[in-house]
Amino acid sequence: MEAHPHATAPSDAPALGSLPVEPLLTAEFDADPGAVYERLRRIHGPVAPVGLMGVPVWLVLEYREVLEVLRNECLWRRDVRHWRARAQGLLPPEWPLLAGYEVRQMMFMDDEEHRAVRRTHHASLSPFQNARTPEGWELRSAVARYADELVALLAAESGRTGFADLGAQYTRPLLLMVTTKLFGCPVELGDELVMDLWRMLDGGPDAAAATARALAAFTRLAAHRRARPGDDLTSYLLLADPDLTDEQLGRELFMNAVYLNDITGNMVLNTLLEVLRGNATVRRSLSAGQLGETVNRAALANPPAANLCFRFAARDVRLGNYWIRAGDAVSPSAASAHRDLLDLGSSHMVGSTVSTRAHLGWGAGPHQCPTAARELGSLIVTTAVGRVFDHFAQAELTLPADQLPWRSGPVVRGLRILPVRYGLAAQEPTARRLDSPQALVAPQGEGHTRGLLSALRRLMFGGREKGAATDV
Ligand code: HEM
């Protein structure tokens, strides 16, 4: 990257709005984003102009440039008020992504305001991040217990051998149960807000209305926990910053819920896929307790946050072969940057010598996934994946890996379904031993779990026939 510390763009440098842009979200991108990234790199180099639902933005494609944008917060701002097209009223009025960007929460703050909210998040997430604290131990055992309950439900619905979609029948409900537990949601609230999160994340025409409803639901949850504090993230956020209003807290919860449900859920599915399509080496490494390495491989091959949310140029700057004007929107592509680490002709990387830890799956720089959230996310992913292979004596994909349907949104890339043929182990696996004083942990009421499961069954089957699981 060339350094032009105080330059302004030369007048003959093409402006974003004047360039022909290729729409990013096409059927080709859905099926094979790698081919799209390669073509854009060939034509434009490290940075390309693309269209996102009719709005031109810069997509940053190469590792070095992506890292620069993620790390240099003085130049690449998060606050949406820096976005020139928005400030000048140039965005289409019903632009479906705007509602999400207008939610003022930590991700879209800069400097000290951002650091203060980040400290609050860190303080409130820390108790849950590992099994050495009562909260962390309980959350981890709850994840394992929910996983066991969902497999038991599967066995009751479909038998000890059969077919399952590990997305709709395992991963998504599991993450909803974890969210309900972590946030301290009453079940009725969980039902409502989770359905709206999914609608919002699909970015459809009702995204704005769904965002508004989800925000209102999280605001109600904030008020509920202010009145009745518990051992949950919502209450701990309030403890860490008692000045948070219900509305502010609702917005922070909203953002955490996105990471917890969509991003973490996709990480579970991607890791399951990495194992299912893996050879004997992958399965052996799993049983040797190297699940963390498999998670890194999956994050490198298919980062769930594929193209990160916008940054806005603080001033004119040259990046790659273009001049980015002050206020232009830039999306750093972790998925494309990963292609510089490895030749991902196949997403499967057994035998690779490249460190899987160089991936940008957690982001980088001041807005990267907070340490406590990363620990928590890893804990959920490894427990959820580990439990599947504890229960299943046999599991194989029922579609060739290259025919699995993916959902490629502006930010997230995740599997729509993960269909498997499974056979449960003859013996029920024993619960994994967790090394924390049990005396510190209050037992979970059976009624609570039953209520949660029946709510989830409604979500999963939507009043339709058994087994006709909804793909959301
Ligand atoms: C395996 C699961 C996870 C992955 C792959 C992941 C990935 C990421 C990435 C890539 C970012 C940076 C986004 C950017 O720079 O635009 C991020 C930020 C963030 N993540 Fe995670 N995340 C995961 C789990 C979680 C969980 C479980 C939570 C909380 C419950 C969480 C909370 C956050 C927060 C609050 C931020 C914003 C940080 C900031 O703006 O300063 N994440 N995550």
Side-chain angles (χ1 to χ4, degrees):
M1 184 171 337
E2 293 168 51
H4 292 265
H6 303 292
T8 49
S11 54
D12 59 347
L16 178 59
S18 70
L19 287 164
V21 293
E22 136 164 14
L24 187 66
L25 304 178
T26 57
E28 182 194 9
F29 185 69
D30 218 24
D32 187 3
V36 174
Y37 297 138
E38 284 306 316
R39 187 177 56 250
L40 290 170
R41 282 163 169 245
R42 260 196 323 275
I43 300 172
H44 300 281
V47 180
V50 296
L52 269 186
M53 300 166 173
V55 171
V57 304
W58 299 103
L59 190 66
V60 189
L61 295 157
E62 294 192 6
Y63 193 83
R64 196 169 67 123
E65 284 73 11
V66 168
L67 214 52
E68 148 68 17
V69 171
L70 293 180
R71 285 185 172 160
N72 188 344
E73 67 172 329
C74 295
L75 189 47
W76 304 103
R77 312 296 280 164
R78 293 306 303 259
D79 193 324
V80 74
R81 287 173 294 191
H82 289 283
W83 193 359
R84 204 181 57 255
R86 174 183 171 275
Q88 293 177 348
L90 299 177
L91 298 174
E94 301 297 320
W95 195 58
L97 300 180
L98 191 58
Y101 278 97
E102 295 288 356
V103 180
R104 189 157 177 74
Q105 39 78 14
M106 151 151 95
M107 272 184 72
F108 303 139
M109 293 174 184
D110 291 311
D111 305 326
E112 186 45 39
E113 184 187 21
H114 168 242
R115 284 191 286 276
V117 186
R118 206 172 149 98
R119 282 193 294 274
T120 302
H121 275 269
H122 190 76
S124 51
L125 276 166
S126 292
F128 299 99
Q129 69 174 324
N130 63 49
R132 286 190 295 277
T133 59
E135 296 91 341
W137 188 89
E138 184 174 350
L139 186 71
R140 193 167 123 175
S141 57
V143 178
R145 191 173 60 245
Y146 296 154
D148 293 350
E149 285 164 359
L150 286 164
V151 174
L153 189 62
L154 188 67
E157 297 282 346
S158 313
R160 297 195 63 79
T161 59
F163 296 90
D165 170 8
L166 291 180
Q169 288 172 278
Y170 181 73
T171 305
R172 289 181 195 122
L174 178 67
L175 267 302
L176 300 187
M177 293 164 97
V178 176
T179 307
T180 302
K181 165 93 183 150
L182 181 66
F183 284 22
C185 296
V187 167
E188 324 79 70
L189 195 56
D191 252 17
E192 183 192 334
L193 69 86
V194 159
M195 292 305 287
D196 273 335
L197 264 190
W198 286 350
R199 286 188 196 104
M200 180 205 70
L201 290 167
D202 282 349
D206 56 352
T211 307
R213 280 194 303 270
L215 275 172
F218 283 116
T219 307
R220 284 200 301 280
L221 173 62
H224 175 78
R225 281 294 159 216
R226 191 189 298 278
R228 299 178 61 187
D231 293 326
D232 50 71
L233 180 65
T234 312
S235 306
Y236 289 4
L237 279 162
L238 274 171
L239 214 58
D241 182 359
D243 292 337
L244 279 174
T245 64
D246 291 345
E247 288 72 23
Q248 285 168 323
L249 180 52
R251 290 195 289 269
E252 298 300 332
L253 289 172
F254 167 89
M255 188 253 310
N256 275 287
V258 170
Y259 279 109
L260 194 54
N261 282 273
D262 209 25
I263 304 294
T264 308
N266 282 320
M267 202 61 246
V268 171
L269 286 172
N270 292 354
T271 310
L272 285 170
L273 174 62
E274 194 67 16
V275 181
L276 285 167
R277 68 184 299 196
N279 58 20
T281 317
V282 177
R283 294 190 184 222
R284 259 200 311 280
S285 68
L286 195 66
S287 51
Q290 290 169 346
L291 193 44
E293 177 59 15
T294 311
V295 176
N296 279 335
R297 286 177 187 281
L300 188 50
N302 282 304
N307 298 315
L308 301 181
C309 289
F310 299 153
R311 273 72 175 162
F312 307 100
R315 56 176 168 74
D316 293 2
V317 57
R318 193 167 165 87
L319 190 67
N321 300 325
Y322 290 102
W323 275 92
I324 314 293
R325 300 299 205 287
D328 280 358
V330 163
S331 168
S333 173
S336 173
H338 286 181
R339 303 179 75 80
D340 290 329
L341 297 181
L342 289 167
D343 174 17
L344 300 185
S346 144
S347 74
H348 198 251
M349 292 168 299
V350 171
S352 157
T353 53
V354 175
S355 166
T356 55
R357 266 173 283 168
H359 71 75
L360 300 172
W362 303 105
H367 284 274
Q368 70 183 293
C369 194
T371 314
R374 287 171 62 154
E375 293 291 326
L376 177 61
S378 301
L379 182 152
I380 294 169
V381 173
T382 49
T383 309
V385 173
R387 232 36 213 147
V388 166
F389 293 102
D390 285 347
H391 279 288
F392 288 8
Q394 169 225 341
E396 61 204 47
L397 291 170
T398 58
L399 278 178
D402 61 1
Q403 285 176 29
L404 288 169
W406 290 83
R407 172 183 138 230
S408 285
V411 176
V412 178
R413 178 166 160 87
L415 283 164
R416 286 183 188 278
I417 56 169
L418 185 57
V420 294
R421 183 184 299 112
Y422 69 86
L424 290 175
Q427 295 250 310
E428 283 300 313
T430 46
R432 285 172 181 237
R433 277 189 62 79
L434 299 170
D435 41 7
S436 188
Q438 299 206 2
L440 291 172
V441 179
Q444 179 90 10
E446 242 193 64
H448 171 82
T449 305
R450 259 206 309 274
L452 206 49
L453 276 174
S454 67
L456 286 166
R457 286 168 62 92
R458 282 203 305 282
L459 278 176
M460 287 161 70
F461 300 118
R464 288 193 249 165
E465 290 204 0
K466 283 202 290 187
T470 321
D471 170 35
V472 285

